[in-house]
Each structure stands twice: as C-alpha cells, then as structure tokens.
Amino acid sequence: MIRFGLCCIFREAPIRFRRTTAKHLSTNPRPEQLRLLAEIIRHNAEALYQALAFCHANGIGDFRINSQILPLKTHPHAGYVMEDLPDAKSLVDLFRRCGRFSRKHDIRTTFHPDQFIVLNSPSPDVVQRSLAELIYQAEVAEWVNADVINLHGGGAYRDKPVALKRLVQAIEQLPAEVRGRITLENDDRVFTPADLLPVCRQTEVPLVYDLHHHRCLRDGLSVVDATRAALATWRREPLFHLSSPQHRGPTGPCGPHHEFIDPADFPCEWRDLDITVEIEAKAKEVAILRLMRTLPGELQQRCG
C-alpha cells in the first residue's frame, strides 16, 4: 500500500504555521522575546494537530513537519531551551497530543532539515551547528512520534570520496536519539543513490530515494535497481520522494517542482510496494488529493 505524504504547508486548507526572525525579536527585551516565541510555538502545535486531523480525514498517511516549528530554536543569539519559555510544559504537552493522534490514526511524521544542515562540512563550526539543529529536531520528533529526520549528503568539497568518509564519521558520532531517525537522500547536484548507498550500508542509515533528483543526476542505476537497493537499507517502512518538473525542456527534467504531479512520473515499480511517498509539489494538499484520484486508473492503463 502506498502512503502519500504532504510536505509542511497547505495551499487551500486554512492551516498555517508561523515563524519569526531574530531581527524582529531583537527589538524586544528578552522576557518579551520568550513570550512571543511561546505564543508562536503554541500556535504551531495547534496547527500541527489540525494538519494531522486534515491528513486523517483525507486519507493522507504522512505529514512532513516544518523544521522551524520551534522558530529560531538553535539561533546563536535568539535561541532557547524549552524551559526558558513561559508555560513550557503545556507547550510540550500540545506536541505530545499530536504524537498520540498520529499513533492512533497511523499517520507517519517526518522532518527534512534545511540545507544549512551539513554533517560532512570540513568546518567544525558548521558541523557543530548542524548537530545542535538535529538534536532539537530529534527532541520534537520524540514528542510527535516522528521516525525520520532526512538529510542530503552535503557537499563534495572537490573530493567526493573524502567528503563521504567525513559523512560516515559524522553519522557514527551522532547521539542515539538522532542516529535512530537519520536518513540520507540523493540530491540533484552532488550525491547520487550510487554515491550514498555504500554510506547507508556501512552506517545502517536508510536511503530516501528521490526519483526526480535521480533523473536529474544520473549514476548508471536504473529506477528498478535504485528502488531495490534503497528498499534494502530500510528496517521499517521505506520513505521515497516524488515530484514532477516544472519544465521538460532540452536540458532535461530538472529545475523547480511543478504545481502538480504528472501520474506518468510515478514508476510502475512502486505500485505494489508498502512505502511512504512524500509528494513535493507546489500545490501541496491539492496536488496530493488530485494524484490520489487519478493515479490508480493511470497505473492500471500504463502498468497493466
């Protein structure tokens, strides 16, 4: 069975998450900053519950949680620990309520940290800041019952084998609460599935196979081969990513994501798998609901 996943925000449903900036907060004294942060976090916890309820009502089995659901959590100046916030326990309780809902209704939740999270950077400072962010997301993941914190491999830094070796070393040093949730995803510029699969096997970290990225950055593996190899890295329900390109020009199917998913981009090889497929489309829930309506007939016609 395919479990479809919605990524972070909504197009039409009246569910919104809030953010703030360090610059905006800096205009207030620290007690007021913490009060404002607590207000935003409370709103986000309630919005997450609404998002999960929407997914449950519409047959969407997975929700990717925005990395800034606790805004500026690890910022060098505006950052905080939960105990700093007014009424911190009630805030955590709201997130734990989301976790109970997701468990009851079998809704998977995941995180996909921002691009500045780079575990294989040659800069110790970058790695340390990345680790702080991952620890924060693992803390929230425990509250909300999320089992994935998905990362790209990072940069090649002009020496891909050395960069991959640094990635292995960084993963092996992660705290247990982070390492137990970390996954690696092939990207469209640096690391292909063939690059990351040896790292995944060595560290026992699953590979999130992104089909669109693989089409943009090829490595000799077919979709069938990459799918099988990715599946073998998982000890729980595998997670894949699917998107359609905005343009299919002479440079190939790369570039920005389309508003919707072209059903022809869904591989026949995935049809009978028990996997989660997160849909990366700009139309968000509208795109997923359209795909869920049209995909079965299209697959029957195309795949037999």
Side-chain angles (χ1 to χ4, degrees):
M1 182 192 76
I2 302 296
R3 181 199 303 264
F4 287 104
L6 171 62
C7 296
C8 302
I9 60 175
F10 292 80
R11 168 61 69 87
E12 293 183 355
I15 302 170
R16 298 291 180 268
F17 295 90
R18 292 175 57 188
R19 294 190 179 195
T20 189
T21 65
K23 182 178 180 180
H24 173 72
L25 282 181
S26 68
T27 62
N28 299 285
R30 187 58 174 169
E32 179 63 10
Q33 291 180 25
L34 295 173
R35 188 195 68 78
L36 290 170
L37 285 164
E39 178 184 299
I40 293 171
I41 292 168
R42 183 176 298 278
H43 171 93
N44 287 348
E46 292 170 347
L48 177 58
Y49 191 87
Q50 294 169 8
L52 296 173
F54 178 95
C55 290
H56 173 57
N58 289 277
I60 298 171
D62 167 84
F63 185 72
R64 182 192 297 174
I65 300 171
N66 190 294
S67 296
Q68 288 299 311
I69 196 154
L70 304 189
L72 305 172
K73 179 68 166 61
T74 64
H75 190 276
H77 305 299
Y80 50 93
V81 296
M82 290 301 290
E83 291 75 14
D84 291 339
L85 302 174
D87 209 10
K89 183 181 182 302
S90 72
L91 298 177
V92 174
D93 287 344
L94 286 173
F95 284 108
R96 292 194 182 280
R97 175 179 175 235
C98 294
R100 290 191 297 272
F101 186 93
S102 70
R103 279 189 293 270
K104 178 179 179 180
H105 297 291
D106 190 27
I107 300 172
R108 192 178 197 177
T109 51
T110 70
F111 285 87
H112 194 357
D114 295 327
Q115 296 288 348
F116 66 83
I117 306 302
V118 184
L119 285 179
N120 76 337
S121 171
S123 166
D125 182 59
V126 171
V127 174
Q128 197 59 37
R129 284 188 280 116
S130 298
L131 178 58
E133 187 74 8
L134 293 176
I135 291 172
Y136 135 59
Q137 293 188 26
E139 180 182 25
V140 182
E142 189 276 324
W143 300 339
V144 301
N145 193 41
D147 72 312
V148 168
I149 302 175
N150 183 45
L151 302 175
H152 292 294
Y157 303 101
R158 300 184 181 180
D159 193 331
K160 187 179 285 188
V162 171
L164 288 170
K165 184 177 180 180
R166 276 199 307 272
L167 179 59
V168 169
Q169 292 170 341
I171 290 171
E172 290 177 340
Q173 295 172 15
L174 291 172
E177 66 271 20
V178 176
R179 186 166 178 176
R181 293 180 170 92
I182 282 291
T183 60
L184 293 175
E185 175 192 347
N186 59 295
D187 63 79
D188 58 349
R189 296 185 179 184
V190 183
F191 293 122
T192 67
D195 291 325
L196 293 178
L197 280 164
V199 174
C200 292
R201 293 173 184 133
Q202 182 175 347
T203 60
E204 298 185 343
V205 166
L207 178 71
V208 172
Y209 178 39
D210 188 305
L211 178 58
H212 177 63
H213 288 166
H214 195 203
R215 286 169 174 159
C216 295
L217 186 63
R218 297 183 180 273
D219 57 6
L221 291 176
S222 67
V223 172
V224 172
D225 291 339
T227 296
R228 288 175 179 167
L231 290 173
T233 66
W234 286 87
R235 299 295 179 267
R236 56 193 187 276
E237 185 176 308
L239 171 64
F240 290 175
H241 287 175
L242 182 69
S243 55
S244 291
Q246 186 171 330
H247 305 291
R248 298 181 190 268
T251 58
C254 302
H257 294 163
H258 198 282
E259 295 282 304
F260 296 94
I261 299 295
D262 182 346
D265 285 325
F266 192 98
C268 293
E269 295 81 5
W270 293 7
R271 180 176 59 172
D272 297 322
L273 299 178
D274 293 325
I275 58 175
T276 299
V277 179
E278 288 187 337
I279 300 302
E280 298 183 323
K282 293 181 179 179
K284 299 300 179 180
E285 82 281 11
V286 180
I288 292 180
L289 295 175
R290 176 187 291 188
L291 182 66
M292 291 168 65
R293 288 193 304 270
T294 59
L295 185 62
E298 199 279 343
L299 286 176
Q300 180 63 35
Q301 181 177 13
R302 176 163 55 92
C303 307

